[in-house]
Structures are given as C-alpha cells and as structure tokens.
Amino acid sequence: DQQVKQNSPSLSVQEGRISILNCDYTNSMFDYFLWYKKYPAEGPTFLISISSIKDKNEDGRFTVFLNKSAKHLSLHIVPSQPGDSAVYFCACPTGTASKLTFGTGTRLQVTL
Amino acid sequence: DVKVTQSSRYLVKRTGEKVFLECVQDMDHENMFWYRQDPGLGLRLIYFSYDVKMKEKGDIPEGYSVSREKKERFSLILESASTNQTSMYLCATKTGGLYGYTFGSGTRLTVV
C-alpha cells in the first residue's frame, strides 16, 4: 500500500505561470517531507523540505505547503521556467536508518 | 560535494544471468541505498546498508541481494535476471542534513 501518493502523473504549465504539484500521505506520524527533482538520465536531486512543525517553507521560486490535518503537501513553483521540466518526487522518512519512501512522481512540462 | 558513481549507465543482460551493479561514493558515509525507478511506481527501495557488512531489506528485495565489503562500495546483485527486473536502478548515499541523499546517475538495465 502506497504510503506516499502523487495522484497526478503529469502536468503541463505555460512558462511564467504557477506550477502546483501535489502529494498525499497516509501516516499522520510522518513529520518531515522532501521534494526531489529528476531529469532524464540523471539521479534525483534535493529541492526543498519541510518539517511538520511548519506549514510553509520557501526557497526562491519554490514553496512547499503542508496541511497536516489533510495529510497533504504541495509544491508551488512561481514563475515556472522551461528548465523546471522534470519529474518531481515527494518523499518522507519511514522506518530506520534514514530510509526515505518516495511517491510515484509527477512529470512537469513547462511550455513556452 | 560528495560524488556517487554507478559503474554502468546502460546494461543489457540475458534472462537467467547473474548481474552486478556497482556503486561507489567518495566520502565516508555510512548509509547507502539501492532504489529502482519504474513509470507509475516511482522510486522503490530494494535494499539499504548502514555500515560495512550490514544490510537490510527494503520494500522490494525479492530477486536481489547486496554486498558491502568496504564503506565506499555498495553492490546490487540480481541472482538470476528476469525481464521484470528491467528498470532504472539508482544508488544513493545519505550525505548529511536531515535526510539529504545524493544519488548516482543511474543504471538503465534491460533484461532480454
């Protein structure tokens, strides 16, 4: 059973507009969340994270929002740029040894 | 910056072959991980290791084994390759901060 879910496999957004990527989780005990970005033929790279003691974390064009009651987080990219076209994974630590569980990913395409 | 190197970018192997995927990190990090990435399924953890000769099963260990004889090297072994093991394999090490991972570039394995 998927503990971390991304229900939208793909998203297309025009350059300059806002991209919103969503992620849902099942366990209310999860207390830290991360977003990773992956280009084809490269490994994922860390983008931004949020602790459950916060409901928002911002880093430049990227903002992550956390709604604990809904067990939902979202990544906002404003303004979207063509270089943002990639697959985005949400993730959270589950179990021991810093193990991360990843979502299924959302492929973002930013069009000109 | 830490570097994680996967020895092969592309591999084609025959059904039933024993396959070795190698991963090397250039720092002294304890935790290393093997994931596979499949469309619609995201990143799924196969095995991880938290020290030399220490290993634990991830979410999908069936058909795989691992070896960690030296701290910098973590090998994934497909005992008898099957077509359903055709996938992108990603190695990662925990590099610091809260759950910060550095990934290798991946090995795309095709089993025919």
Side-chain angles (χ1 to χ4, degrees), chain B residues 24-36:
Chain B
V24 177
Q25 51 145 326
D26 64 355
M27 300 288 278
D28 204 28
H29 297 290
E30 293 178 341
N31 297 317
M32 296 187 75
F33 307 84
W34 275 106
Y35 286 84
R36 62 180 279 180

Side-chain angles (χ1 to χ4, degrees), chain B residues 26-74:
Chain B
D26 64 355
M27 300 288 278
D28 204 28
H29 297 290
E30 293 178 341
N31 297 317
M32 296 187 75
F33 307 84
W34 275 106
Y35 286 84
R36 62 180 279 180
Q37 182 195 359
D38 300 288
L41 297 175
L43 298 176
R44 294 179 293 166
L45 181 64
I46 305 170
Y47 264 98
F48 62 100
S49 169
Y50 45 90
D51 207 342
V52 174
K53 297 192 186 294
M54 307 299 281
K55 60 187 180 185
E56 280 199 30
K57 293 179 181 179
D59 300 316
I60 51 164
E62 297 78 18
Y64 302 94
S65 62
V66 289
S67 172
R68 189 141 182 228
E69 297 295 320
K70 293 184 178 180
K71 202 163 196 176
E72 67 270 18
R73 186 180 297 269
F74 190 35

Side-chain angles (χ1 to χ4, degrees), chain A residues 17-112:
Chain A
R17 307 295 285 266
I18 183 171
S19 296
I20 301 176
L21 295 90
N22 295 303
C23 179
D24 297 295
Y25 58 96
T26 57
N27 191 333
S28 58
M29 298 299 290
F30 292 164
D31 60 2
Y32 196 81
F33 304 90
L34 306 93
W35 285 93
Y36 279 78
K37 174 180 179 178
K38 185 182 185 299
Y39 292 117
E42 293 184 17
T45 55
F46 170 74
L47 188 58
I48 192 169
S49 62
I50 188 166
S51 164
S52 61
I53 61 172
K54 294 185 173 182
D55 54 17
K56 176 183 172 181
N57 188 28
E58 192 171 351
D59 184 1
R61 297 186 297 114
F62 302 90
T63 303
V64 57
F65 294 92
L66 177 61
N67 182 334
K68 290 185 286 294
S69 61
K71 289 184 278 187
H72 176 85
L73 62 153
S74 60
L75 174 68
H76 293 214
I77 307 173
V78 182
S80 301
Q81 298 174 354
D84 296 329
S85 298
V87 179
Y88 290 79
F89 295 96
C90 62
C92 64
T94 56
T96 60
S98 308
K99 185 172 68 114
L100 284 179
T101 293
F102 287 83
T104 50
T106 297
R107 180 176 301 278
L108 173 66
Q109 184 173 7
V110 180
T111 59
L112 297 173

Side-chain angles (χ1 to χ4, degrees), chain A residues 38-44, chain B residues 3-13 19-23 34 37 85-91 103-111:
Chain A
K38 185 182 185 299
Y39 292 117
E42 293 184 17
Chain B
K3 191 171 179 182
V4 178
T5 302
Q6 293 184 234
S7 54
S8 304
R9 294 298 297 268
Y10 300 95
L11 274 179
V12 180
K13 296 292 181 180
V19 180
F20 293 84
L21 302 183
E22 306 288 342
C23 175
W34 275 106
Q37 182 195 359
Q85 293 177 310
T86 291
S87 187
M88 167 69 84
Y89 289 87
L90 292 157
C91 175
F103 281 87
S105 298
T107 296
R108 172 131 345 248
L109 172 68
T110 302
V111 182

